[in-house]
Amino acid sequence: SMSTASEDMAEVFSFLMTDIKITENKASKDAILKKKISFIKKGIAKIDDQFDFIKWLKKLNKALPKKFY
């Protein structure tokens, strides 16, 4: 995102929630993106230290019709 910090973080979060593998792969080549992901994950851990992006994505993929992914 090019407008606000909160919008930018929301977009990074949405990418984490929809395709964590691609997002983390891109972050391995981008230090700023890597820091944003770390910030988001630490914030989520403060709310729910058991949250697992991969498990959440597997549940989501089972719940959505095939046309969504």
Side-chain angles (χ1 to χ4, degrees):
S1 170
M2 300 290 283
S3 56
T4 65
S6 60
E7 183 181 342
D8 184 52
M9 293 304 255
E11 287 197 34
V12 172
F13 178 77
S14 73
F15 281 107
L16 283 172
M17 297 305 286
T18 56
D19 201 330
I20 192 169
K21 290 178 184 178
I22 289 174
T23 307
E24 288 187 337
N25 183 42
K26 288 182 184 237
S28 70
K29 302 170 190 130
D30 183 333
I32 294 171
L33 181 57
K34 189 174 187 174
K35 287 180 182 181
K36 290 177 185 180
I37 291 171
S38 176
F39 179 84
I40 290 169
K41 286 184 173 182
K42 286 177 184 176
I44 290 172
K46 288 179 183 178
I47 298 166
D48 181 358
D49 65 350
Q50 300 297 311
F51 186 80
D52 183 325
F53 281 93
I54 300 297
K55 286 181 184 176
W56 190 89
L57 284 170
K58 287 178 181 177
K59 287 180 186 179
L60 176 66
N61 285 336
K62 287 180 184 177
L64 290 176
K66 294 277 184 200
K67 67 179 183 177
F68 287 106
Y69 59 92

